Amino acid sequence: MFLSLAILLSAVALPARGIALTQQSVTLATHVCPMHPDVRTSSPGTCPRCGMVLVPIDPLEVRDYPLDVETDPSPIVAGRPFRLRLVVRDPDTKEITKSFATVHEKIFHLFVLSLDLNHYEHVHPQQQPDGSFALEVTVPREGFYKLYADFLPNGGTPQVLPRPLVTRGFKGDIASSKAQLTPDRDLTKVVDGMKVTLTLGRGGLVAGRDEKFSYQLTDAVTGAPVTDVEPYLAAWGHSLVMSEDTENFVHAHPMEMLPENVVGGGGPNLTFKALLPKPGNYRVWTQIKRRGQVSTVMFTLNAASPTQQ
């Protein structure tokens, strides 16, 4: 179950599919955070985690929207650009859904990951006149990939829908292609001249509870604090957290809010919050923009079982 999927009844966390409503559970929410669907309320307001304005929802709309994925050519060829077309359909009529809410400046976020979690890309398909979405993508090598489509239909609920991709001629199998992650011992990385030091809470990450992880940004040469972080998609940064088995997904943003009228830059500290649903290894990609360039830093972490605490 993906953490950005619709979890909308006020009393319980629900499975993504096959939801059975009981008389006790129908205390219905009418507003939800577009980035944290477990944050829901019966009145307007802002999200206590990320500060985003809660959006109105149909309280009984807890469904996956069908998503069609087409590639040209098919199958795709590693190292060569291919055109990707995505079509979101109404769950009832199957007609193309054309109206979407803008979330962090875009109406459609797409993540392209290799199954071994060594390749990561965060892109934004453009809506076409017929309501579909399209863009050109290139994957670097042969193998299995997964697409994660993240969008919010107007009147619906937040969706994160995974879809598979495999390159032409790949002779491996899914089992041998899956990630086998080893948590980082060194929580300092250097990317594009910036030293990024990750700090976890005392005792590290624990599954099943809201956890904070913080970055300290310094110049890799001088050691001076980095204070020129630029807004990127209406936030000081973006983090994608993916479980080793690619079954659990968190899209998070800094708790440091972006001012309405930005003056100066962000940094040197950025703090994210995420709820990791189960114990195990996770890969975290965080994107930070400076001087017009978006840099991506990657860490591999472990979330302990609550029973180990």
Side-chain angles (χ1 to χ4, degrees):
M1 174 176 162
F2 297 92
L3 291 194
S4 290
L5 288 177
I7 307 173
L8 298 171
L9 297 184
S10 64
V12 291
L14 297 173
R17 296 174 178 81
I19 296 171
L21 302 181
T22 66
Q23 183 175 0
Q24 183 178 3
S25 69
V26 186
T27 303
L28 299 178
T30 59
H31 290 75
V32 65
C33 174
M35 292 309 306
H36 300 98
D38 57 317
V39 176
R40 63 269 186 195
T41 177
S42 59
S43 59
T46 58
C47 176
R49 292 187 193 169
C50 65
M52 290 190 69
V53 175
L54 302 179
V55 297
I57 57 168
D58 180 341
L60 295 179
E61 180 71 66
V62 189
R63 298 176 295 171
D64 284 350
Y65 278 58
L67 175 67
D68 300 336
V69 177
E70 302 171 2
T71 66
D72 183 17
S74 179
I76 62 175
V77 179
R80 298 182 185 178
F82 63 92
R83 184 170 177 80
L84 184 64
R85 181 173 183 263
L86 306 110
V87 178
V88 180
R89 298 190 181 276
D90 183 275
D92 294 324
T93 67
K94 309 308 180 197
E95 295 295 324
I96 295 179
T97 297
K98 300 181 179 181
S99 180
F100 299 84
T102 299
V103 179
H104 282 277
E105 298 183 354
K106 301 293 182 179
I107 62 174
F108 202 116
H109 295 260
L110 183 70
F111 299 90
V112 183
L113 305 181
S114 58
L115 201 61
D116 62 10
L117 299 183
N118 287 324
H119 175 74
Y120 164 88
E121 194 171 1
H122 176 190
V123 292
H124 304 96
Q126 296 297 307
Q127 192 167 34
Q128 306 301 299
D130 67 352
S132 66
F133 291 85
L135 81 165
E136 193 172 85
V137 178
T138 303
V139 296
R141 61 187 184 278
E142 291 186 349
F144 288 98
Y145 292 81
K146 261 190 174 183
L147 305 176
Y148 295 86
D150 189 346
F151 55 90
L152 173 56
N154 280 325
T157 53
Q159 307 281 310
V160 176
L161 304 179
R163 294 293 185 269
L165 279 180
V166 63
T167 60
R168 177 184 296 170
F170 181 62
K171 300 184 183 304
D173 56 35
I174 291 180
S176 62
S177 300
K178 290 183 177 180
Q180 297 181 2
L181 302 181
T182 300
D184 290 326
R185 292 180 178 271
D186 185 358
L187 296 185
T188 296
K189 303 285 182 74
V190 175
V191 55
D192 297 327
M194 178 173 58
K195 185 166 76 171
V196 182
T197 300
L198 175 62
T199 301
L200 305 177
R202 187 174 181 179
L205 301 177
V206 178
R209 71 185 189 192
D210 275 330
E211 293 283 16
K212 293 180 182 179
F213 55 99
S214 301
Y215 294 106
Q216 182 181 30
L217 312 177
T218 56
D219 186 276
V221 176
T222 68
V226 167
T227 58
D228 61 351
V229 175
E230 299 171 2
Y232 174 54
L233 299 175
W236 291 122
H238 289 255
S239 282
L240 178 72
V241 186
M242 181 63 69
S243 61
E244 185 174 49
D245 61 7
T246 71
E247 294 298 325
N248 291 275
F249 167 114
V250 181
H251 186 183
H253 304 93
M255 298 175 65
E256 293 81 11
M257 301 304 300
L258 195 67
E260 186 173 345
N261 297 307
V262 179
V263 177
N269 299 303
L270 298 177
T271 305
F272 292 78
K273 182 185 286 189
L275 190 155
L276 306 180
K278 63 183 182 182
N281 294 328
Y282 290 80
R283 181 146 285 172
V284 183
W285 297 269
T286 298
Q287 293 180 293
I288 300 167
K289 185 178 181 181
R290 296 178 67 209
R291 303 167 187 166
Q293 177 181 353
V294 177
S295 300
T296 302
V297 61
M298 182 182 75
F299 288 93
T300 303
L301 306 173
N302 179 264
S305 169
T307 59
Q308 298 174 342
Q309 301 299 303

